[in-house]
Every structure is written in structure tokens, then in C-alpha cells.
Amino acid sequence: MKKKTKKRIRAAGTVLFLLYLLALGYFLFFAEEYGRADAGRAYSYNLEPFREIRRFWDNREILGTFAVFTNLAGNILGFLPFGAILPVISRSARGIIRITLLSLEFSFLMECFQLIFRVGSFDVDDLILNTLGGLLGYFLFFICD
């Protein structure tokens, strides 16, 4: 591939990644339809792995398809672009271990922000699902590369 083409792809990837980060920030901190507007809530956190995943799955008939999909698949799909676009714009972000750690670190940062600003909650299950999403995104990048 020509150097000029690579440069254009990297520039387009950077723009897409910034748009992705803006959209992710909106959904994590400002989207009222996902209960994010109430900033005066008490601190909420879950440190037990798979507790919320199991709760959502066990109560899927009560909670409804939308709530279950939003929580489980939404956390995975929300980080898919992270793992797919980041390796395009940064060669140092390539590699399965590297992208897994970067996805985990970024997810941890977002969860901490949610805890500090009392928007959403800190949930170890979100870390697991987000990291899985970043990893699946990297597999998409790997296949397409």
C-alpha cells in the first residue's frame, strides 16, 4: 500500500476514533434514556465478577429484552470500535495482549469517572464486557488487515 494511502487511512481512522470517543462519552455520561441525567445519586458499585451479568440474565423476562440487551450486548458493542479503530491509527496498539490491556485500562478509567461523578455505577462486569468488546473489535481489525 502506498504511503499516501496509509496516511489517509490513518487520518480517517483518527477522525472516526474521536467521533467514537464523543459518542461513547455521551452514552456513558449524558444519555437520559439510559438513566445518566441523575448526577445526585449515591455511590453505586459492584466488585463481584459476573454478579450483574447473572442478575440481568436471570431476570431477563422481568427486565425486558431492551434492558438486558442494553446492559450486556451494549457494553460489548460499545467497545468494539475501540479495538477495531485504535490499531489502525497507532501501530503500537497492535497485538492481542496490548489491545486487551488498553481496553481494560480505558474501561477502568470510564468506570472510575462514572463512580466519581455519580453517573451510572462502577461495575466490574462492565470491565469484563467492555474488554471483551475491545478484544472482538481487534479480531475484526485482524481479519480485515
Side-chain angles (χ1 to χ4, degrees), residues 1 17 29 42 53 83 88 97 99 113 125 137:
M1 188 180 301
F17 194 70
F29 299 105
I53 294 171
V88 171
I97 293 172
I99 206 68
F113 281 153
D125 291 347

Side-chain angles (χ1 to χ4, degrees), residues 14-55:
T14 301
V15 170
L16 281 174
F17 194 70
L18 291 173
L19 290 172
Y20 158 72
L21 290 177
L22 287 172
L24 186 65
Y26 170 76
F27 283 111
L28 287 175
F29 299 105
F30 302 109
E32 291 181 19
E33 60 269 16
Y34 298 107
R36 306 293 193 227
D38 187 14
R41 295 187 323 171
Y43 289 111
S44 176
Y45 59 90
N46 168 37
L47 300 176
E48 181 184 327
F50 303 106
R51 185 173 87 186
E52 287 298 302
I53 294 171
R54 191 171 36 253
R55 183 178 72 84

Side-chain angles (χ1 to χ4, degrees), residues 101-121:
L101 290 175
L102 288 170
S103 297
L104 178 63
E105 290 169 357
F106 187 68
S107 177
F108 181 74
L109 184 66
M110 294 297 102
E111 292 296 317
C112 287
F113 281 153
Q114 286 183 327
L115 183 65
I116 291 167
F117 294 113
R118 298 179 188 183
V119 179
S121 64

Side-chain angles (χ1 to χ4, degrees), residues 136-145:
L136 290 174
Y138 181 74
F139 283 130
L140 286 174
F141 162 78
F142 186 78
I143 290 167
C144 294
D145 190 39

Side-chain angles (χ1 to χ4, degrees), residues 56-145:
F56 269 85
W57 186 254
D58 290 346
N59 296 306
R60 65 187 175 275
E61 292 176 5
I62 298 166
L63 296 170
T65 305
F66 181 75
V68 174
F69 181 81
T70 301
N71 190 316
L72 302 180
N75 279 303
I76 294 170
L77 293 174
F79 266 68
L80 243 148
F82 186 87
I85 300 173
L86 193 58
V88 171
I89 62 175
S90 174
R91 292 186 70 70
S92 66
R94 294 184 183 178
I96 195 164
I97 293 172
R98 183 81 167 149
I99 206 68
T100 301
L101 290 175
L102 288 170
S103 297
L104 178 63
E105 290 169 357
F106 187 68
S107 177
F108 181 74
L109 184 66
M110 294 297 102
E111 292 296 317
C112 287
F113 281 153
Q114 286 183 327
L115 183 65
I116 291 167
F117 294 113
R118 298 179 188 183
V119 179
S121 64
F122 183 97
D123 190 351
V124 72
D125 291 347
D126 288 352
L127 292 174
I128 294 166
L129 294 170
N130 294 343
T131 304
L132 178 62
L135 194 56
L136 290 174
Y138 181 74
F139 283 130
L140 286 174
F141 162 78
F142 186 78
I143 290 167
C144 294
D145 190 39

